[in-house]
Amino acid sequence: KNQVEQSPQSLIILEGKNCTLQCNYTVSPFSNLRWYKQDTGRGPVSLTIMTFSENTKSNGRYTATLDADTKQSSLHITASQLSDSASYICVVTPGREYNFNKFYFGSGTKLNVKP
Amino acid sequence: DGGITQSPKYLFRKEGQNVTLSCEQNLNHDAMYWYRQDPGQGLRLIYYSQIVNDFQKGDIAEGYSVSREKKESFPLTVTSAQKNPTAFYLCASSIASGGYNEQFFGPGTRLTVL
C-alpha cells in the first residue's frame, strides 16, 4: 500500500535552534517528493521538490534530503524563526505508470517555534 | 496580481443544505484540484480537472459535485449526501496535470455543518 508517514506529529523548539522533520514513504515507483509549508488556516506553499537523482536541495534556511534507496526524506530548518511555526507536509508523486494526478500526502508535522 | 482565490473563507451550513465553494485562478493554469483536509490526516483528493469541460473523481468524490465551464473557475458543491462535510477545503491549480508541476493552493474554505 502506498503511504507517506511523517514524524514527529508535532514539535516545539526555541527560536534560533535547528530541527529536522522526517518523511518515510512506501510509494513505488517514485517520481518526486515535495515539501510544503502550511501556515494555520492557509493553503500549503511549496518549499522544495526533489527527484530520484537528487540527494539534497536547499531553499534559504530549509534543506531537504532524499534517500531514494531507503525511501526517506528529511527537512532541516536552520536557525529557526517564529515565522517557521507552521505545519510541514511531505507529498510524494508516483511514477508515470500511475495516475498522473495522484499525489500521496503525509499528515504533516506541526512545528511551534517559541521565543 | 496573479493567484488562486477561494471564497468564502468561512461557511456555515445547516444539515440537508447544498453549498457551493468558489475557486478562481488567474494563473492561466489548465489543471485544477479540490482537496479536503481533516485534523491529523493528509489532504484527500475530491475531484480534479485537467482541462475545461472535463473533470475526474478523486478518492472521496461521494457527496460532492464540480463543474469546469471556464478555465479560471472550478466550483465545488457539497451536497446533502455528504455525511460528514465539516472540514477545511483547499483548491489548487497547476500549469498542467502531472506530478512534477507545482500545485498552487488557495487560502482554503472552512465549512462547518450546524
Side-chain angles (χ1 to χ4, degrees):
Chain A
K1 183 181 177 183
N2 288 321
Q3 287 184 313
V4 177
E5 301 282 347
Q6 291 188 244
S7 62
Q9 277 191 321
S10 62
L11 183 62
I12 300 174
I13 62 173
L14 293 175
E15 187 179 11
K17 297 297 186 182
N18 303 337
C19 67
T20 300
L21 315 180
Q22 297 289 342
C23 174
N24 297 337
Y25 61 93
T26 59
V27 179
S28 182
F30 168 85
S31 174
N32 62 73
L33 184 148
R34 197 184 288 274
W35 283 93
Y36 282 91
K37 178 187 180 187
Q38 184 178 21
D39 292 318
T40 301
R42 308 290 296 175
V45 175
S46 178
L47 293 173
T48 65
I49 180 171
M50 302 186 74
T51 59
F52 185 88
S53 60
E54 295 174 301
N55 300 117
T56 304
K57 184 171 281 189
S58 293
N59 177 2
R61 294 180 297 102
Y62 301 100
T63 300
T65 65
L66 174 66
D67 185 335
D69 291 330
T70 62
K71 296 184 171 56
Q72 295 180 325
S73 177
S74 65
L75 181 68
H76 186 74
I77 304 175
T78 303
S80 61
Q81 300 176 359
L82 297 179
S83 59
D84 292 331
S85 295
S87 290
Y88 292 83
I89 301 171
C90 175
V91 185
V92 178
T93 304
R96 287 182 173 269
E97 294 83 357
Y98 281 68
N99 183 336
F100 222 40
N101 289 286
K102 183 63 176 177
F103 302 88
Y104 291 90
F105 289 81
S107 57
T109 292
K110 190 172 178 64
L111 175 65
N112 189 356
V113 180
K114 290 191 173 295
Chain B
D1 186 23
I4 181 165
T5 59
Q6 293 184 241
S7 63
K9 188 169 177 64
Y10 299 97
L11 187 57
F12 297 90
R13 188 194 95 173
K14 292 182 179 179
E15 285 193 24
Q17 284 182 335
N18 293 354
V19 290
T20 298
L21 282 59
S22 169
C23 177
E24 303 278 334
Q25 53 96 1
N26 61 4
L27 300 168
N28 200 32
H29 285 173
D30 282 323
M32 296 187 75
Y33 309 80
W34 273 107
Y35 291 94
R36 170 180 172 140
Q37 188 174 36
D38 294 284
Q41 296 190 39
L43 273 67
R44 291 183 289 168
L45 181 65
I46 304 173
Y47 269 97
Y48 68 94
S49 169
Q50 298 182 66
I51 200 166
V52 175
N53 293 321
D54 178 73
F55 50 83
Q56 306 293 331
K57 291 182 179 180
D59 299 319
I60 56 165
E62 185 175 350
Y64 300 97
S65 66
V66 294
S67 63
R68 186 85 186 277
E69 297 176 0
K70 297 187 299 182
K71 187 175 186 177
E72 305 79 21
S73 179
F74 191 40
L76 172 74
T77 298
V78 184
T79 75
S80 56
Q82 169 50 236
K83 297 305 178 188
N84 186 22
T86 295
F88 189 53
Y89 290 87
L90 287 162
C91 179
S93 71
S94 59
I95 192 166
S97 59
Y100 197 81
N101 296 302
E102 180 180 352
Q103 291 186 314
F104 292 83
F105 285 85
T109 292
R110 186 167 297 280
L111 173 64
T112 302
V113 174
L114 303 173

